Amino acid sequence: MGARGAATRDKLVESSLAMFREDGFEATTMRRIADAAGVSLGNAYYYFASKDDLVHELYLVVQREHRALAIPRLRQGAPLAENLALVLHTGLDVMTPYHRFGGAFVQVALPASSRASPFSLESAQARGLAIDLMRQAADASRPRPASALRERMPMLLWLAYLGITLHWVVDSSPDQARTRRLVDGVAPIVGRAVRLSRLPVARGLVDDVVGLLAPASASTPTAAATPAGASR
Amino acid sequence: MGARGAATRDKLVESSLAMFREDGFEATTMRRIADAAGVSLGNAYYYFASKDDLVHELYLVVQREHRALAIPRLRQGAPLAENLALVLHTGLDVMTPYHRFGGAFVQVALPASSRASPFSLESAQARGLAIDLMRQAADASRPRPASALRERMPMLLWLAYLGITLHWVVDSSPDQARTRRLVDGVAPIVGRAVRLSRLPVARGLVDDVVGLLAPASASTPTAAATPAGASR
C-alpha cells in the first residue's frame, strides 16, 4: 500500500472508531464511515470488506492503547494483585469511550462463527498483543506462580480479563463502578491463588488447571476455552 | 385463572417452546405461536405480553426438567466433583434441544436492561430453582467446604454453571462435545478447590472470595456478579 493508500485507510479507521463511540455500532454504516472520511463508498469497500473488518481495527487500536498505558506503569517485583489491578483498570479506561457500543459488539462477537470473536483466527493479532501484555504483568510480579503454572499464566489472566470485559459490557452502574469494584476484588484473589499455587498442598489443583488448558500453547486459545476458534 | 385459562396458557407455552426448538428464536413470532396453539392473537397477548415473557416460561421449564433429572441422581456423601459433574451434564442434556436457539437467546438476555437476563427481577423464580439445585448438590457432597464458604457455595456453583452455559451457547463442536469435556475438567477443579478451602493456608483466599460476594445473600445475585440486576 502506498503512502496515499495508507492515509486513506487510516482516515477510514479513524472515522469509524469515532462513529462507533458516538453513535454506536448499529447506527454506523459503511456509507456514513466513507462520507465522514471523505472517501467514496467503493473506495471504502476496497480497504474494508465490511463493518466487521473495522471491528478488528478497533481491537488493535484498543490493545495498542492499553499496552501504551499499562506497560510503563507495571512495577517490577510488585505483587501480582497490584500489577493485575493496574492492567485491568487501564483496560477499562481504554474501553470506556466505547461502552455504549459494547452491548451491540458482544452480540456481534459472541456467535461461534463470528470473525469478530476474540477467539477467531482474524483476531489473532489483537489477541496476541493482549496475551503478551498479561505475560509482561505476570513476569513483572513476585512471587512467581508454581512453575507448572507459569507458561499458562498469560492465558489464564487473559481469560479473566475477558470475563471482566463481559461484566463491564453489561454493567449498567454509573461509570461502570460495579466492574471497577469487581476488579478490586478479583485482583487480590488471583494474587492469593498464585501464592497458594506454590505450596505442595496445591499441586493437584495446579495440575488440574494445567491439564484443562493442556491443548493450548501459551499464545493461542485453548480448546477448552475457545469453542469458537478451535473447530474452524 | 380458571381451568380453561390455564389450559390455554399451557398450550401457548408448549407451542412456543416447540417453535423455539425447531425454528429458533427470531423466526418465532407471537402470531405463529398463537396459530400453532389454536388461539387468537389477541387472546395470546392476554396471557403473554411479548415473546420475552415466553422466554421466562422456557427458563422455568428447563429448570424444572433439570431438577427432575438431577436431584434423584445426586449421591449423598460423594465428592463434589462427582455431584457437580452430574448437575452440569444433566443441565446440558436439558438444554440440548434448544442449542440452535442459544445464540439468539444470549443476544436477548445479555443486555443490562433485559428482563430475560438470568439476573433480572423477572427471572427470580427460575434463578431460585437453579440455585437451590446447586445447594442440594453442595449439601449432598463430602467433604464440605470451609465453613466461611458454605453459605456462598450455591451461588458460586451457579455462577460456574452460567459460565459453562455461555461456553455451550457458542460451542460449535459436534454435539457440543467441547463443553462436555470442559465440564469433565472443571468439576474436579472445583472439588479440589473446595477441599483446599478447608486448610488454614487457604483462609485468606476464602475470606477474599466471601468478601467479593458479601453483598449477596445466598439466594440473590451479588452486586459483583450481577451488573444487570442490582441497579434496578
Side-chain angles (χ1 to χ4, degrees), chain A residues 106-107 110-112 166-167 170-172 178 182 185-186 188-189 192-193 196 199 201 204-205 208-209 212 223-224 227-228 230-231, chain B residues 106-107 110-112 166-167 170-172 178 182 185-186 188-189 192-193 196 199 201 204-205 208-209 212 223-224 226-228 230-231:
Chain A
V106 170
Q107 294 186 8
L110 203 65
L166 186 62
H167 187 280
V170 301
D171 187 350
S172 59
R178 202 167 287 121
L182 179 63
V186 162
I189 289 177
R192 274 193 199 273
L196 195 58
L199 303 181
V201 73
L205 190 57
D208 281 355
V209 170
L212 192 65
S231 68
Chain B
V106 170
Q107 294 186 7
L110 204 64
L166 186 62
H167 187 280
V170 302
D171 187 351
S172 59
R178 201 166 287 121
L182 179 62
V186 162
I189 288 176
R192 275 194 199 272
L196 196 57
L199 303 181
V201 73
L205 189 59
D208 281 354
V209 170
L212 192 65
T226 59
S231 68

Side-chain angles (χ1 to χ4, degrees), chain B residues 12-30:
Chain B
L12 286 166
V13 171
E14 211 172 288
S15 66
S16 69
L17 299 199
M19 219 169 272
F20 285 151
R21 282 192 300 266
E22 284 152 33
D23 303 334
F25 185 71
E26 290 304 325
T28 301
T29 62
M30 281 297 276

